[in-house]
Amino acid sequence: MSLEKSAEGGTGRPAPGRVEDVRRGNLIRILASMAEARTDPDTRPTRADLATRTGLTKASVSSLVAELLDAGLLAESGTTRDGERGRPGVGLELSTSRGVVGMEINVDYIAAGLLDLGGTLRIHRTLESSNRGQSPPSVMALLGGLVRDIAAEASAAGIEILGGGLAVPGLVDSASGTVASAPNLQWRGVGLQLEQLLPSAPFGLALYNEANCAALAELWYGHGLDFRDYLFISGEVGVGGGLVIGSELFAGPRGQAGEVGHVVVEPSGPDCSCGGHGCLEAFAGQEAVFSEAGIAPGAASVRLARLGEQLAAGDAAAVAAVSRAGHYLGIAAASTARLMNLSAVVLGGHFTPMGRWIRPALQRSLAEYAPGLISDARVEISELGQSAALLGAAGSSLRAVLAAPFTLTPAGR
Amino acid sequence: MSLEKSAEGGTGRPAPGRVEDVRRGNLIRILASMAEARTDPDTRPTRADLATRTGLTKASVSSLVAELLDAGLLAESGTTRDGERGRPGVGLELSTSRGVVGMEINVDYIAAGLLDLGGTLRIHRTLESSNRGQSPPSVMALLGGLVRDIAAEASAAGIEILGGGLAVPGLVDSASGTVASAPNLQWRGVGLQLEQLLPSAPFGLALYNEANCAALAELWYGHGLDFRDYLFISGEVGVGGGLVIGSELFAGPRGQAGEVGHVVVEPSGPDCSCGGHGCLEAFAGQEAVFSEAGIAPGAASVRLARLGEQLAAGDAAAVAAVSRAGHYLGIAAASTARLMNLSAVVLGGHFTPMGRWIRPALQRSLAEYAPGLISDARVEISELGQSAALLGAAGSSLRAVLAAPFTLTPAGR
DNA sequence: GCTAATTAGTTTTCAATCTGAACTATATGC
DNA sequence: GCATATAGTTCAGATTGAAAACTAATTAGC
């Protein structure tokens, strides 16, 4: 189930432009301006600031802010004495008593967290769980328990939950809430009962791809603060990706863009689970790196730790395996950069712990295959770690709320 | 010089939502609805039709249409007697007495044409000219002459020229009107004096990439009628491309997306003029195909004709050369389809005459590298020929007019 | 302390624009 | 020729933001 409740009708054509739509747009503008100002926690914007920032008049801002206060999306936070002359303004903030839930189902764990509208992660719980091959209902039941705990805690803290987002490592159809294919969970064509997780949240719950979420988390909480356009590559069991263009996720016509793991990097390469061959995943996925480095089979976390040790010790096989992965990552990134006119790459997932070794190899490869397109300074390693997908899912949900405030407001009806 | 005169301020943030903006949006809706209805020439839409189609009331439509008639963008075309009961409506059409100029500078020729707002190509002139290595001013002077002829003819036919678009085979910066690099013309960092071509057109003149224009022409006048999302690959001296997503061109963050010719398809492949190596262009560009087929050097058109003969005669070297090109096109298309979630490919340029032979090779390659993503039926060969880029440039310009009608209307001031 | 200056926010008036309903115009069908 | 149906216009009413006047609360200077 998608939570997109845009101003569009069912026809695909935009709804007729009525005078009321102007107000809807301006409510969104106010919230967008608040979200943008969020980086500066000391000086909360006042109505007058918002008027300057949005170009609206003070009168309009007052009226719009009143409506958003009423809907509980904004809150006043005391007068701001800036020491200047004149009447002090009243500070405004995105409400910390409303929030959204971010959730993640991964191969080895499930997780859920609560993000308030101000963007602060207020609660965060992770539960180890071997989900590979488990039935979707049983995993959803486990997640449901986690979410109920969080909902209870939120309620105790006086936080109302407005919506949520769930990230899974696979191709999803956000509109229908189904997982088309999640090879690492061994799920295929699975419809998830999303409504049951947050039955009373007015914005419902949306389903997202994990790597896409991680890419957005990088935008909102990581290096993305400096980057507006980049390819995010997430190393997991497979290799996932997310394309950020103009500070927004490029989801493609059917919401499944970013599958950089199946870009062909070696036409004569080995067969891939996707049915093709020569895919990046066969050179940069976990199994490829571990076996190339001569690391014995076992749990992924153990193998990753072992690889880290060997890299730190300067083990030749480990260094070569990681360099090879970086080389092929560079080929895929070079092609992507040409195709989509991108100028930055961010690596996450299992690439993060091998960052020190894989980054130079990737940089060399980029210089070899697409000189001048992506400078060395624009190859970054994510530092968000395991919470990235959860943050991205929650952030997406948060943005959905801020983009449709009229759902909670008189203008919505 | 870009002709984007959106409602945005210079800040990158949308302009404040005023009540007047509703009307601007609705003027655009009316024109968009007219452009959409254009496929059915017999039954021209009436005001009542537009009211139904847009969801606006008859009263609003009447008022909006009056303004557009006044601005000369729409025209009445007699009452439509449909045989039904009731007062017959007055047919409306996009004005055929306003138009835009499409222009193209290519290696072997220049061309210009006039498209009326209804989308009919009213005039079309091509001039053979060896432009490789010629100075930009001299080529622009030649094009200027062609455009003056067309302007005179338009004037004689009572058609007012509102704007235009120029397609060149290279990377362009549309905002500044400069050609960053056009290797086949041997131009690099060239600022073109676009204003001089159409000094009095209210919408000015925009600069576009040739392959992008051809991709859009395919959307508006070719197979694109069935496709909303596809990769267009244009074979010229190099290999260009255009990405169409949701019936719109994906231009990328800096307007230079679609460079499929420099996707890496063979990591150990030969060096490329772009500085990288193993690019698709080295396997599917003209020189690669001709030399692989054993065709002696000479003029491109002669060599292409020769290749056609050899293919028709079943010459093994020619067939092998084209198959190899198709194979590598498939690799690049497979990667692109994964990355951007595309499901169709259209080939144009020099691939059109070799279509019968290259299509099966491309289909085989797609089945090998990305099975299930792009069905055989969604691999098409363009039939627009040499006029594609010109049509695309003119069409882009036409759409710019329809997307900013208030430029010519009281609401614009 | 008192007054002027300054900035924040509200109230009032006005113009733009859409909707909806009533109305006029012009066909077809019997 | 009259009923019916559809196209298009006119006009009152509602929503909304802009602009300007106004009220509120603070600092600066004496």
Side-chain angles (χ1 to χ4, degrees), chain B residues 125-220:
Chain B
R125 298 261 177 287
T126 301
L127 192 62
E128 305 244 328
S129 160
S130 281
N131 299 317
R132 182 193 294 267
Q134 295 297 308
S135 84
S138 72
V139 177
M140 288 296 280
L142 209 60
L143 182 61
L146 206 57
V147 170
R148 268 192 300 281
D149 290 351
I150 286 192
E153 236 177 296
S155 175
I159 302 174
E160 186 183 332
I161 294 173
L162 298 178
L166 169 60
V168 298
L171 292 180
V172 303
D173 180 7
S174 208
S176 66
T178 59
V179 179
S181 120
N184 304 329
L185 293 171
Q186 297 171 8
W187 290 2
R188 197 175 183 83
V190 171
L192 300 179
Q193 303 300 311
L194 297 175
E195 315 75 39
Q196 299 177 0
L197 287 177
L198 287 174
S200 61
F203 281 82
L205 204 149
L207 186 61
Y208 303 110
N209 168 272
E210 184 215 19
N212 284 357
C213 284
L216 286 169
E218 200 58 38
L219 174 71
W220 296 323

Side-chain angles (χ1 to χ4, degrees), chain A residues 81-152:
Chain A
R81 283 196 195 77
D82 54 358
E84 296 282 305
R85 271 200 219 184
R87 170 177 167 180
V90 177
L92 296 169
E93 60 179 2
L94 288 165
S95 173
T96 52
S97 63
R98 305 289 151 105
V100 294
V101 177
M103 285 157 274
E104 180 183 2
I105 295 176
N106 217 313
V107 178
D108 312 312
Y109 63 92
I110 61 173
L114 180 79
L115 198 68
D116 69 27
L117 293 191
T120 305
L121 189 62
R122 301 280 289 272
I123 312 178
H124 186 190
R125 298 260 177 289
T126 300
L127 191 62
E128 306 244 326
S129 160
S130 282
N131 299 317
R132 182 192 294 267
Q134 295 296 309
S135 83
S138 72
V139 177
M140 288 296 280
L142 209 60
L143 182 61
L146 206 57
V147 170
R148 268 192 300 281
D149 290 351
I150 286 191

Side-chain angles (χ1 to χ4, degrees), chain B residues 113-128:
Chain B
L114 180 78
L115 197 69
D116 70 26
L117 293 190
T120 305
L121 190 62
R122 301 281 289 270
I123 312 177
H124 186 190
R125 298 261 177 287
T126 301
L127 192 62
E128 305 244 328

Side-chain angles (χ1 to χ4, degrees), chain A residues 352-374:
Chain A
T352 293
M354 49 181 100
R356 247 182 72 199
W357 295 269
I358 205 166
R359 189 165 179 261
L362 170 54
Q363 288 168 332
R364 274 195 307 275
S365 182
L366 282 168
E368 180 180 348
Y369 289 100
L373 274 191
I374 297 182

Side-chain angles (χ1 to χ4, degrees), chain B residues 17-19 46-48 58-59 62 85-87 89-90:
Chain B
R18 292 176 313 251
V19 179
T46 63
R47 289 171 178 78
K58 289 190 295 175
S62 275
R85 272 199 218 186
R87 171 177 167 180
V90 177

